[in-house]
């Protein structure tokens, strides 16, 4: 029976080639479009889901109103961080501050020129609590190093770019914006592509507080910094 259906279908296709080709082409395009939409939606909705507690992680923002317009700023005032920790002792809170267009200089050996890299994105001042929220694989070092000033953690690909081999990175020094001397205290695996936080150079947050004028850091309530919590 099924064989006969196939024969009839094939004869109809051959009898109406143009019409059949048009239908098959339309069906093919429709299936391809559906698959493409599915892949895009699956990727877009997968951001940060690699973290085991992603359903409990929240990004705190500031809401401001002007007339009937409501706007949101991706951060909160700096003094709100200790205030939230006091009011919500059961929450894990991590503050961070992005630095765009920073220059990282790797001092060269005697007789050679320094290596200089401009990082438009991926450089961040960050608290060690960040790693209590987001899962990262440490190759060397651990989150505790970010509790000290002038410490930096870099991802594996950046370590290779700066030092030729990530195994040679820990313990080396680099200078940020010709201003801050940083010691490489750890190396982590690269962030996955579907992450809202593709950090490459993670400087201890306490370092930022030592250079308030250079990075516009202020502990006034009008200042704004990014914050995530669980």
């Amino acid at each position: 029976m099924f064989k006969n259906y196939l024969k009839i279908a094939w004869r109809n296709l051959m009898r109406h080639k143009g019409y059949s080709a048009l239908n098959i082409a339309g069906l093919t395009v429709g299936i391809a479009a559906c698959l493409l939409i599915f892949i895009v939606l699956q990727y877009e909705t997968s951001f940060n889901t690699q973290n085991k507690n992603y359903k409990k992680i929240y990004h705190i923002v500031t809401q401001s109103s002007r007339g009937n317009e409501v706007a949101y700023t991706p951060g909160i005032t700096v003094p709100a961080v200790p205030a939230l920790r006091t009011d919500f002792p059961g929450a894990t809170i991590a503050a961070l501050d992005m630095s765009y267009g920073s220059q990282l200089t790797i001092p060269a050996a005697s007789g050679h020129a320094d290596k200089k890299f401009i990082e438009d994105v991926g450089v961040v001042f960050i608290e060690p609590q960040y790693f209590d929220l987001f899962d990262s694989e440490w190759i060397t070092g651990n989150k505790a190093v970010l509790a000290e000033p002038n410490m930096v953690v870099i991802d594996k690909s950046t370590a290779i770019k700066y030092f030729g081999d990530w195994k040679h990175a820990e313990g080396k020094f680099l200078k940020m914006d010709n201003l801050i001397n940083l010691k490489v205290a750890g190396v982590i695996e690269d962030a996955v592509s579907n992450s809202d936080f593709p950090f490459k150079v993670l400087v201890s947050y306490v370092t930022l507080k030592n250079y308030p004028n250079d990075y516009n850091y202020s502990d006034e309530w009008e200042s704004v910094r990014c914050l995530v919590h669980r």
Side-chain angles (χ1 to χ4, degrees):
M1 180 68 72
F2 184 69
K3 186 176 181 180
N4 291 333
Y5 287 153
L6 286 177
K7 288 182 179 179
I8 293 171
W10 179 255
R11 288 171 183 170
N12 286 330
L13 287 173
M14 293 299 100
R15 188 176 301 144
H16 308 286
K17 293 182 180 179
Y19 181 74
S20 299
L22 184 62
N23 282 336
I24 292 173
L27 179 62
T28 302
V29 171
I31 292 174
C34 288
L35 288 174
L36 180 61
I37 292 172
F38 171 77
I39 292 171
V40 171
L41 288 176
Q42 185 183 49
Y43 176 76
E44 292 295 333
T45 57
S46 69
F47 270 66
N48 303 321
T49 56
Q50 70 276 4
N51 300 288
K52 60 179 179 293
N53 293 315
Y54 74 94
K55 291 184 178 180
K56 299 179 180 180
I57 299 175
Y58 298 86
H59 180 185
I60 301 177
V61 301
T62 297
Q63 176 183 302
S64 57
S65 301
R66 177 177 295 179
N68 295 325
E69 296 183 359
V70 177
Y72 296 92
T73 302
I76 63 173
T77 58
V78 171
V81 176
L84 284 169
R85 285 178 172 148
T86 300
D87 293 341
F88 302 96
T92 300
I93 297 173
L96 56 91
D97 189 280
M98 299 293 295
S99 178
Y100 299 98
S102 281
Q103 176 179 281
L104 282 302
T105 302
I106 290 78
S110 178
H112 295 80
D114 295 342
K115 295 181 181 179
K116 298 180 183 293
F117 300 90
I118 301 296
E119 302 292 357
D120 293 325
V121 294
V123 180
V124 61
F125 293 97
I126 199 164
E127 291 187 315
Q129 292 91 328
Y130 171 85
F131 293 98
D132 294 328
L133 294 166
F134 294 94
D135 299 328
S136 298
E137 183 178 346
W138 287 82
I139 302 175
T140 63
N142 58 70
K143 66 176 184 178
V145 299
L146 290 174
E148 301 296 327
N150 296 85
M151 294 295 179
V152 62
V153 173
I154 56 180
D155 69 2
K156 185 177 181 179
S157 61
T158 301
I160 294 172
K161 180 172 71 171
Y162 288 178
F163 303 104
D165 188 336
W166 67 264
K167 297 177 182 178
H168 301 157
E170 189 173 15
K172 296 292 181 63
F173 290 86
L174 54 85
K175 178 170 281 191
M176 181 175 175
D177 298 323
N178 294 320
L179 181 67
I180 311 174
N181 291 311
L182 299 170
K183 181 180 179 179
V184 179
V187 178
I188 57 175
E189 284 289 353
D190 295 0
V192 295
S193 60
N194 56 340
S195 171
D196 285 322
F197 304 99
F199 301 144
K200 299 185 291 185
V201 180
L202 300 90
V203 184
S204 57
Y205 192 81
V206 67
T207 305
L208 172 65
K209 298 179 181 180
N210 294 331
Y211 298 86
N213 296 329
D214 299 285
Y215 294 96
N216 298 316
Y217 176 83
S218 172
D219 59 1
E220 300 294 330
W221 279 94
E222 291 78 11
S223 61
V224 174
R225 290 293 182 266
C226 186
L227 181 88
V228 289
H229 90 289
R230 183 179 67 206

